[in-house]
Amino acid sequence: DVKVTQSSRYLVKRTGEKVFLECVQDMDHENMFWYRQDPGLGLRLIYFSYDVKMKEKGDIPEGYSVSREKKERFSLILESASTNQTSMYLCASSSWDPKEGEKLFFGSGTQLSVL
Amino acid sequence: AQSVAQPEDQVNVAEGNPLTVKCTYSVSGNPYLFWYVQYPNRGLQFLLKYITGDNLVKGSYGFEAEFNKSQTSFHLKKPSALVSDSALYFCLVKAGNTGKLIFGQGTTLQVKP
């Protein structure tokens, strides 16, 4: 089974801190994604990456950056955390098959609270 | 603009009754359609998908979904709900021409004994 592992389940940080959220996948997937999940808003894409050292902005990239130095690891960085970044963060990776199409695999999420 | 709508924030069903969770979409090209489920304090799990072929697709845990091209809908259904089906359900659409993945806002399903 594909495993997508997020390093922390809960994080509490202070306003202005630099925050790193780590995600590792073990299936050699090329595509990786960071979403944030807020009640009533569903999942919103922050950044995604289709290859090592490659990144693309999603729908809400402001206040975030990412790093993908190795294929299996995709990090989300909050340069200076703010209270409006309190949210559940979900990492995903995906595979593509011409017959099966795309399938997303999600980590368990990191609940970040910024005080 | 491309969008996915789940018109109900919450669906309440009695155990044993049929359930429907609705999803409609507006995307360009032929879409790929998915349903995911999220149990409390867990990540999202894949339930089923429609790529091509038969409009009725069957997935995990007895769920099925019907693709209706004319109504641009992909409603999730189950003939007989279980209390353990209570969770948050997300519809996901991949736009055929851009490949962009778009989530609906989610629908909470509550199944009461």
Side-chain angles (χ1 to χ4, degrees), chain A residues 100-115:
Chain A
E100 296 289 319
E102 187 155 12
K103 199 165 165 181
L104 276 175
F105 298 87
F106 283 87
S108 297
T110 296
Q111 179 62 52
L112 173 67
S113 297
V114 182
L115 307 177

PDB file of all heavy atoms in Angstrom, chain A residues 100-115:
ATOM      1  N   GLU A 100      -6.169   3.619 -15.629  1.00  0.00           N
ATOM      2  CA  GLU A 100      -6.809   3.894 -14.331  1.00  0.00           C
ATOM      3  C   GLU A 100      -6.955   5.382 -14.065  1.00  0.00           C
ATOM      4  O   GLU A 100      -7.705   5.790 -13.191  1.00  0.00           O
ATOM      5  CB  GLU A 100      -5.978   3.268 -13.206  1.00  0.00           C
ATOM      6  CG  GLU A 100      -5.901   1.755 -13.278  1.00  0.00           C
ATOM      7  CD  GLU A 100      -7.221   1.121 -12.927  1.00  0.00           C
ATOM      8  OE1 GLU A 100      -7.880   1.582 -11.977  1.00  0.00           O
ATOM      9  OE2 GLU A 100      -7.620   0.160 -13.628  1.00  0.00           O
ATOM     10  N   GLY A 101      -6.210   6.183 -14.807  1.00  0.00           N
ATOM     11  CA  GLY A 101      -6.259   7.614 -14.541  1.00  0.00           C
ATOM     12  C   GLY A 101      -5.415   7.978 -13.335  1.00  0.00           C
ATOM     13  O   GLY A 101      -4.538   7.242 -12.921  1.00  0.00           O
ATOM     14  N   GLU A 102      -5.726   9.110 -12.747  1.00  0.00           N
ATOM     15  CA  GLU A 102      -4.939   9.594 -11.612  1.00  0.00           C
ATOM     16  C   GLU A 102      -5.586   9.169 -10.307  1.00  0.00           C
ATOM     17  O   GLU A 102      -6.798   9.140 -10.180  1.00  0.00           O
ATOM     18  CB  GLU A 102      -4.851  11.112 -11.651  1.00  0.00           C
ATOM     19  CG  GLU A 102      -3.910  11.706 -10.618  1.00  0.00           C
ATOM     20  CD  GLU A 102      -3.390  13.065 -11.037  1.00  0.00           C
ATOM     21  OE1 GLU A 102      -3.915  13.647 -11.993  1.00  0.00           O
ATOM     22  OE2 GLU A 102      -2.431  13.531 -10.410  1.00  0.00           O
ATOM     23  N   LYS A 103      -4.739   8.861  -9.344  1.00  0.00           N
ATOM     24  CA  LYS A 103      -5.243   8.485  -8.030  1.00  0.00           C
ATOM     25  C   LYS A 103      -4.393   9.213  -6.989  1.00  0.00           C
ATOM     26  O   LYS A 103      -3.166   9.129  -7.021  1.00  0.00           O
ATOM     27  CB  LYS A 103      -5.122   6.988  -7.852  1.00  0.00           C
ATOM     28  CG  LYS A 103      -5.998   6.416  -6.773  1.00  0.00           C
ATOM     29  CD  LYS A 103      -6.069   4.900  -6.949  1.00  0.00           C
ATOM     30  CE  LYS A 103      -6.630   4.239  -5.716  1.00  0.00           C
ATOM     31  NZ  LYS A 103      -6.672   2.779  -5.855  1.00  0.00           N
ATOM     32  N   LEU A 104      -5.069   9.935  -6.110  1.00  0.00           N
ATOM     33  CA  LEU A 104      -4.390  10.688  -5.069  1.00  0.00           C
ATOM     34  C   LEU A 104      -4.321   9.867  -3.788  1.00  0.00           C
ATOM     35  O   LEU A 104      -5.296   9.238  -3.397  1.00  0.00           O
ATOM     36  CB  LEU A 104      -5.153  11.968  -4.761  1.00  0.00           C
ATOM     37  CG  LEU A 104      -4.930  13.202  -5.629  1.00  0.00           C
ATOM     38  CD1 LEU A 104      -5.880  14.294  -5.214  1.00  0.00           C
ATOM     39  CD2 LEU A 104      -3.505  13.686  -5.540  1.00  0.00           C
ATOM     40  N   PHE A 105      -3.164   9.922  -3.136  1.00  0.00           N
ATOM     41  CA  PHE A 105      -2.992   9.272  -1.837  1.00  0.00           C
ATOM     42  C   PHE A 105      -2.644  10.358  -0.828  1.00  0.00           C
ATOM     43  O   PHE A 105      -1.736  11.150  -1.069  1.00  0.00           O
ATOM     44  CB  PHE A 105      -1.879   8.227  -1.902  1.00  0.00           C
ATOM     45  CG  PHE A 105      -2.156   7.126  -2.871  1.00  0.00           C
ATOM     46  CD1 PHE A 105      -1.801   7.245  -4.210  1.00  0.00           C
ATOM     47  CD2 PHE A 105      -2.777   5.958  -2.459  1.00  0.00           C
ATOM     48  CE1 PHE A 105      -2.059   6.237  -5.115  1.00  0.00           C
ATOM     49  CE2 PHE A 105      -3.034   4.936  -3.357  1.00  0.00           C
ATOM     50  CZ  PHE A 105      -2.682   5.077  -4.689  1.00  0.00           C
ATOM     51  N   PHE A 106      -3.357  10.351   0.296  1.00  0.00           N
ATOM     52  CA  PHE A 106      -3.200  11.434   1.260  1.00  0.00           C
ATOM     53  C   PHE A 106      -2.501  10.974   2.528  1.00  0.00           C
ATOM     54  O   PHE A 106      -2.673   9.833   2.973  1.00  0.00           O
ATOM     55  CB  PHE A 106      -4.577  11.981   1.654  1.00  0.00           C
ATOM     56  CG  PHE A 106      -5.191  12.863   0.617  1.00  0.00           C
ATOM     57  CD1 PHE A 106      -5.947  12.325  -0.410  1.00  0.00           C
ATOM     58  CD2 PHE A 106      -5.002  14.236   0.662  1.00  0.00           C
ATOM     59  CE1 PHE A 106      -6.511  13.136  -1.376  1.00  0.00           C
ATOM     60  CE2 PHE A 106      -5.561  15.062  -0.298  1.00  0.00           C
ATOM     61  CZ  PHE A 106      -6.312  14.505  -1.324  1.00  0.00           C
ATOM     62  N   GLY A 107      -1.780  11.896   3.127  1.00  0.00           N
ATOM     63  CA  GLY A 107      -1.288  11.702   4.478  1.00  0.00           C
ATOM     64  C   GLY A 107      -2.414  11.952   5.481  1.00  0.00           C
ATOM     65  O   GLY A 107      -3.516  12.357   5.106  1.00  0.00           O
ATOM     66  N   SER A 108      -2.111  11.723   6.758  1.00  0.00           N
ATOM     67  CA  SER A 108      -3.133  11.860   7.803  1.00  0.00           C
ATOM     68  C   SER A 108      -3.384  13.300   8.201  1.00  0.00           C
ATOM     69  O   SER A 108      -4.333  13.577   8.931  1.00  0.00           O
ATOM     70  CB  SER A 108      -2.723  11.075   9.052  1.00  0.00           C
ATOM     71  OG  SER A 108      -2.642   9.705   8.741  1.00  0.00           O
ATOM     72  N   GLY A 109      -2.544  14.186   7.747  1.00  0.00           N
ATOM     73  CA  GLY A 109      -2.776  15.595   8.026  1.00  0.00           C
ATOM     74  C   GLY A 109      -1.991  16.111   9.215  1.00  0.00           C
ATOM     75  O   GLY A 109      -1.633  15.359  10.131  1.00  0.00           O
ATOM     76  N   THR A 110      -1.700  17.401   9.198  1.00  0.00           N
ATOM     77  CA  THR A 110      -1.077  18.100  10.321  1.00  0.00           C
ATOM     78  C   THR A 110      -1.997  19.245  10.724  1.00  0.00           C
ATOM     79  O   THR A 110      -2.285  20.122   9.909  1.00  0.00           O
ATOM     80  CB  THR A 110       0.298  18.667   9.947  1.00  0.00           C
ATOM     81  OG1 THR A 110       1.181  17.608   9.631  1.00  0.00           O
ATOM     82  CG2 THR A 110       0.877  19.482  11.103  1.00  0.00           C
ATOM     83  N   GLN A 111      -2.484  19.207  11.957  1.00  0.00           N
ATOM     84  CA  GLN A 111      -3.308  20.298  12.467  1.00  0.00           C
ATOM     85  C   GLN A 111      -2.367  21.346  13.065  1.00  0.00           C
ATOM     86  O   GLN A 111      -1.747  21.117  14.099  1.00  0.00           O
ATOM     87  CB  GLN A 111      -4.291  19.804  13.523  1.00  0.00           C
ATOM     88  CG  GLN A 111      -5.163  20.892  14.113  1.00  0.00           C
ATOM     89  CD  GLN A 111      -6.059  21.548  13.079  1.00  0.00           C
ATOM     90  OE1 GLN A 111      -6.790  20.890  12.340  1.00  0.00           O
ATOM     91  NE2 GLN A 111      -6.020  22.874  13.011  1.00  0.00           N
ATOM     92  N   LEU A 112      -2.253  22.468  12.406  1.00  0.00           N
ATOM     93  CA  LEU A 112      -1.365  23.549  12.844  1.00  0.00           C
ATOM     94  C   LEU A 112      -2.178  24.647  13.529  1.00  0.00           C
ATOM     95  O   LEU A 112      -3.170  25.133  12.968  1.00  0.00           O
ATOM     96  CB  LEU A 112      -0.619  24.143  11.647  1.00  0.00           C
ATOM     97  CG  LEU A 112       0.217  25.388  11.929  1.00  0.00           C
ATOM     98  CD1 LEU A 112       1.390  25.045  12.837  1.00  0.00           C
ATOM     99  CD2 LEU A 112       0.719  26.015  10.640  1.00  0.00           C
ATOM    100  N   SER A 113      -1.745  24.996  14.710  1.00  0.00           N
ATOM    101  CA  SER A 113      -2.341  26.130  15.409  1.00  0.00           C
ATOM    102  C   SER A 113      -1.278  27.199  15.565  1.00  0.00           C
ATOM    103  O   SER A 113      -0.190  26.922  16.080  1.00  0.00           O
ATOM    104  CB  SER A 113      -2.854  25.714  16.792  1.00  0.00           C
ATOM    105  OG  SER A 113      -3.881  24.757  16.663  1.00  0.00           O
ATOM    106  N   VAL A 114      -1.593  28.413  15.118  1.00  0.00           N
ATOM    107  CA  VAL A 114      -0.670  29.530  15.258  1.00  0.00           C
ATOM    108  C   VAL A 114      -1.262  30.513  16.270  1.00  0.00           C
ATOM    109  O   VAL A 114      -2.364  31.031  16.073  1.00  0.00           O
ATOM    110  CB  VAL A 114      -0.420  30.238  13.915  1.00  0.00           C
ATOM    111  CG1 VAL A 114       0.596  31.366  14.100  1.00  0.00           C
ATOM    112  CG2 VAL A 114       0.061  29.251  12.864  1.00  0.00           C
ATOM    113  N   LEU A 115      -0.529  30.709  17.357  1.00  0.00           N
ATOM    114  CA  LEU A 115      -1.065  31.531  18.449  1.00  0.00           C
ATOM    115  C   LEU A 115      -0.486  32.949  18.426  1.00  0.00           C
ATOM    116  O   LEU A 115       0.640  33.145  17.968  1.00  0.00           O
ATOM    117  CB  LEU A 115      -0.742  30.868  19.794  1.00  0.00           C
ATOM    118  CG  LEU A 115      -1.185  29.390  19.910  1.00  0.00           C
ATOM    119  CD1 LEU A 115      -0.746  28.827  21.250  1.00  0.00           C
ATOM    120  CD2 LEU A 115      -2.687  29.290  19.741  1.00  0.00           C
TER     121      LEU A 115
END
